[in-house]
Structures are given as C-alpha cells and as structure tokens.
Amino acid sequence: MERHDVLIAGAGHAGAQAAIALRQAGFGGSIALVGAEPDLPYERPPLSKEYLAGERPFDRLLIRPAGFWEEREVQLRLGRRIVAVDPAARVAELGDGETLGYGTLIWAAGGEPRRLACPGAELERVHSIRCRADADRIVAALPGVQSVVVVGGGFIGLEAAAVLSKLGKTVTVLEALDRVLARVAGEPISRFYEAEHRAHGVAVRTEIAVEGISDSDSAAAVQLAGGEILPADMVIVGIGIVPAVGPLLAAGAEGGDGVNVDPLCRTSLPHIHAIGDCAAHENVFAGGARIRLESVQNANDQAATAARAVAGYPHPYAALPWFWSNQYDLRLQTAGLSLGHDDMVVRGDPATRAFSVLYLREGRLIAADCVNRVKDYVQARKLIAAGGMTERRSLSDPDRPLA
C-alpha cells in the first residue's frame, strides 16, 4: 500500500495552499494531494464572475502551473476522491477501492452545491456553479438561452445574474428571504444591490419559494409557491453548499454542519486536520461562536495553520475574516463578521455608488461592508483587528479617515 507522510483530501484552494505552506515551512516529507476534479488546483471565485463572462481563461485560474507541483515533489492524484477513512490504521480509501496510508491527513474537501428540495431539481436545464465543469456547462448552453431564473440571492447568484445580464440575457433572481444577501450583510447593502440589479434589467423577487421545476424540449418552467409559473431556458441554483465531511463523521469525528476543529485545525480524530469551507471552528471575530467560513482568506489561513502544526511550528488560527464580490462595476469588500452587531452606521451616500456600512457591537467596530471604497476597507481591517472602542459619530463622516 502506498503511503504518504501527509495526505491532503481536496485539491481546491485550501488543499493546494496546505501543500504549498508545508514546503514553505520546510517540511521535507512526502505529500500527496487527492482531488475529485481532473484539473490542476485552481481558484474558484472567478467561476461566477470573469470565467463565466469569458473574460479570464482557465489557465489564468491555476493556483500554480503543473511544473510547480513536480518541483515541490507534491504528488497530484486528480480525478480521485477519498470515500472512507480508518483513523486507527491511518488509511484512506479512494472511490475505486485503492487505499493510501498516511502519517497526517489534512481534510480540505470543501463541499457540494446544495440542491433544491423540490421536484425537478436534477433536470438538465438546472445548473449550479461550484466547479469548472459547472461553469463550462453553462457557457456551452448559453447560445441557446435567453431567459434565466437564478434561485438564491447570495453572492454566487447575484454574481451570475450580473454576468448574464451583461451578456444580454433576461434574468430573474428569486430569494426566499425578505432581501438579498440577508445572511451576510445589513439591509442597506441588500437594498442597494437589489436596486443596482433592477437598474441593469434584472428582476429581483424576494420572499419567493420554488415548489418545482419541469422541463420540455423548448424550456423549463419554474413553479412558485402560489402557483405562478416562470418560463426559463436555464435555471441556476445558488443556495449554499453542503460540507463534504461524510467520511470523517462516519469515522467518528465530531461535527455536523462541517467537522469540528480546534485552533490548530485538528479534528477530534488523531492525526487528522480539517481546513477551509468544511471546517467548523470557534472564531474570535464571531464572538467565539463555532462557524464555517467559505472564503479564500479562510482557506489560505487555515491551510497555513495546519501546515505549521504538521511541520512542528504550531500557531493558533486567529485571522481576521475578509471577503469580496464583483458585480457590474461594483466591488464589495468585507472585513470582519457582522454577526451579533447591535448598531450600524452608513458612511457616505449609497446614491454615489461608493459608500460603506459599518457594524458595531458594544461600541466596537466588528465588521465593514465597503462598496467602491478601498480606503475604508483597509482602515476598517486595522480598526477591527485592534478591537478598541470607536467614536460612532466620527464613523459616518466619509471625508474623515477611519483610522
């Protein structure tokens, strides 16, 4: 049986960065990276933006070129998936029955797109955007598509809607909650983006439930609660992911919505770490709540945490979360987590399309959503990390530096 000192499950951003960070930390043991997709490790965020729009070719999404992995002696096992783990024997089983031994397992398998729980969710005209193959299927179908229904008003759904609108498609966004981005941003941000999409011709409908999807030779039909039918040439579903942690939970790891990890990204199973989208950790910027973060920042920083721990230089994860989203000519940059905020300040005028929304808890700045205001974002990151008291009155003046 082939054995590796470090076996990494998942060749997305977190898994690739774990391998890179191990070599940067001076780790000289053998490393194998097992990825379900056939492609070299690549960046996922552009899939719903520049890649979908045809503005960025796939080779510019690669995290590193093929030669890099050979030079660093990282064995790539692509098009493979780990389906079972034996922690006592330190053995992982692949989908084809092959087994691999490991000294340490780093689980970075991410997640799978959450499916609609209604009839027709698996029809051919229904798409998600999680991997390159998903985006390629959408792009291949677009020449025959005019009307698109996007289910889900989160970042993925809105980014896809912006791209498709620019490509001349008729787009409708359906959101089950009372506003878009309700899970990640305050109401001023939600209402601003709703207005922006509508100004670009996108129909945004909130508090809407999908009861079923049917398909014919010519188009799909999306049935809404109450009986209304929306015809569509394509349906894109962006309602989050389901963490890919089944093999770890089956092996006895603690978790539920993800697998639980400690500040060194260690699971409750011996010699197994977990990082990235699937790792549920206690986050100081969320008031100590156990959360999962689906972001490049989290993937990078948890990869570095796990790599340092494996290499013998442990340093607890305590990184400030940050996110971004590009829609039309708008760049939203978020620092911190607004969970549990008890006050909100709008800095600047949304009508200018350059403003920030600042979130406070007990007089301290805990998060900022900055639309086309890079300076606010940079300064807010420093203030949030410092954790000091903030004078609320000064925050609303856009001409006064946050620092």
Side-chain angles (χ1 to χ4, degrees), residues 160-185:
V163 169
L164 294 170
S165 174
K166 288 196 295 184
L167 293 177
K169 310 304 179 183
T170 302
V171 184
T172 300
V173 173
L174 305 178
E175 170 55 49
L177 299 180
D178 62 347
R179 55 187 176 89
V180 302
L181 302 175
R183 296 175 179 84
V184 296

Side-chain angles (χ1 to χ4, degrees), residues 69 81 186 229 281 285 297 389:
W69 306 107
R81 188 189 300 271
I229 302 293
H281 63 282
F285 295 99
Q297 167 272 317
M389 299 295 290

Side-chain angles (χ1 to χ4, degrees), residues 191-202 328-330 350 353:
R191 300 310 180 198
F192 172 78
Y193 274 94
E194 289 170 0
E196 281 292 327
H197 278 276
R198 287 169 177 146
H200 284 84
V202 176
Y328 307 112
D329 57 342
L330 302 168
R353 305 178 81 244

Side-chain angles (χ1 to χ4, degrees), residues 376-395:
D376 279 2
Y377 168 72
V378 172
Q379 294 170 358
R381 286 184 61 167
K382 296 178 181 178
L383 280 178
I384 296 165
M389 299 295 290
T390 306
E391 183 185 357
R392 186 189 190 283
R393 184 173 55 184
S394 67
L395 296 179

